[in-house]
Amino acid sequence: MVELDQSYANIKYGVAGTALHTPVRGEIEVLQDSLIVIDQAGLIESILTPTNAPYKKVKNDLKDHGKLLELSNTEYLLPGLIDLHIHAPQWPQMGKALHLPLYDWLHTCTFPLEAKYTDVTFAETVYRSLVNTLLSNGTTTAVYFGTIHLEATKLLADICLEHGQRALVGRVSMDNEEQCPDYYRDLSTAKSIEDTQEFIEYLRGQSGEAGIVLPAITPRFIPSCSDEALAGHGELAEKYNCHIQTHCSEDNWSHDYGISRFGKTDTQSLLDFGLITDKTILAHSNFINPSDIMTIKTAQSAIAHCPLSNFLFSNAVLPVKQLLDKGVQVGLGTDVSGGAHVSIYDSCVQAIVASRALQEGVNASLPPEDRGIANASINFMEAFWMATAGGGEALGFKVGIFSEGYCFDAMIIDTAATDSNLVLWEDMDSAEDILQKIVYNARRPNIRTVWVQGAIVANSNK
Ligand code: GUN
Ligand code: FE
């Protein structure tokens, strides 16, 4: 622990109460009646427990300085949630059009909607609504796809900065005349690369290279981009040492398209275009083969697992447990609006359900031993780890756990909130039970205060 300056001038405040987190995959750590001390930069300066000698004194001193927030005995402190894959412009389409296969959904519903973001007034209304909703749901970090439009995507980044949400934001690149409609396509390959470069420089200018909102190079997926655009975006990634995001081997159609065009899988094509790095987030990746897995692991790229979207669009379930056991970085996403929910707690539940379906199998006409895949299921602690610590590792950010030097991105869950669907029974629920109950049933009514980098970004008194 760092020595605390007696005047506490370098301390923003302390939060006293019980914190729950999963610093190691599959394990819960309970910081019972802890005191988390946050510095003026919004980083965790120290974590004290009642057995640490200075606990009482520091707690009293912070109280005297008006810098102590004490949780009630129905409240728990948890790390903020990380959404590794979300399409901001698809927010107006949430819960709609989910009966269609991916290709039809893109061409009949999604591209027409995204084309509307030439209108920055519309963009502002949608993006403010979404960022506020995510923060109120405890999503402290979001990895956003915007649209092809430079101005609307700049606005999305500005709104994240204004609301204090940690984010990666990408201007979507789509220049392939054969796969993108005339009404929704970059004007040319050169313009596609130019607009991405302008977006990176704009956002770095607004937020700084280590700011809380950073640019991500975003070729939508292989079908939407020409070879030259893919290569050009790979060069930009190297030049700017930027994050990269794209969809990878999502469904049978897009996976087969990539193979017929390049004679190799999406992962290998992306690698050859310079788009697989330790700053790459690959959405879905359901159809990756053993060699792709090695490529992703070696490069330390990460996979954004979006289980509901996969059930609806992907023709398969990601073998998430096997990937994690092999040391591949995997976090969770919502894939709004391919996934029709905003809460990453819902992604946790669906990741558990998907993994169980993979393990048990779903076709009752087969004998049980032929129905599923052994050792495929994950538990709630692994799911919560992916939603927090795993997502943080995937991004290379110090978020997702309570540890000295980490950013204080956190939420208070009030288990006794009005309208709570979560009910605790004193003397019957262990800390592990409480975390499991939170994952399954704590939602917006339970989320009281949300912080990003020590700043309050959502607050409600329910
Ligand atoms: N592949 C290309 N674009 C999209 C999209 O917007 N959503 C999903 N789920 N997959 C895509
Ligand atoms: Fe997506």
Side-chain angles (χ1 to χ4, degrees), residues 19-31 79 321 378-386 388-390 400-402 431-432 435-436:
L20 307 174
H21 67 159
T22 49
V24 175
R25 175 164 68 96
E27 290 176 26
I28 175 177
E29 184 180 45
V30 183
L31 299 167
K321 173 81 164 178
I378 57 166
N379 64 28
F380 74 94
M381 287 179 282
E382 291 170 295
F384 187 73
W385 178 89
M386 285 198 286
T388 54
I401 62 172
F402 298 118
E432 203 176 302
L435 181 62
Q436 186 166 13

Side-chain angles (χ1 to χ4, degrees), residues 284-350:
H284 314 304
S285 309
N286 295 295
F287 291 89
I288 53 176
N289 65 28
S291 141
D292 295 336
I293 293 172
M294 275 314 293
T295 300
I296 293 168
K297 183 186 163 173
T298 307
Q300 293 182 294
S301 296
I303 293 173
H305 177 38
C306 308
L308 178 59
S309 167
N310 289 174
F311 272 129
L312 296 168
F313 287 147
S314 288
N315 323 107
V317 169
L318 184 77
V320 71
K321 173 81 164 178
Q322 289 170 10
L323 292 168
L324 289 168
D325 287 348
K326 284 184 176 137
V328 176
Q329 296 185 337
V330 189
L332 295 177
T334 55
D335 197 19
V336 164
S337 67
H341 59 90
V342 282
S343 171
I344 286 291
Y345 287 125
D346 285 317
S347 294
C348 289
V349 173
Q350 288 147 10

Side-chain angles (χ1 to χ4, degrees), residues 41-44 79-80 82 140-141 166 210-212 214 243 388-410 451-454:
L43 305 180
I44 297 173
I82 298 170
T140 48
T141 301
R166 193 181 301 286
I212 67 162
L214 299 174
H243 283 86
T388 54
E393 279 177 20
L395 294 169
F397 296 165
K398 288 195 139 190
V399 296
I401 62 172
F402 298 118
S403 182
E404 285 173 17
Y406 272 64
C407 305
F408 188 68
D409 289 17
W451 292 268
V452 173
Q453 191 99 14

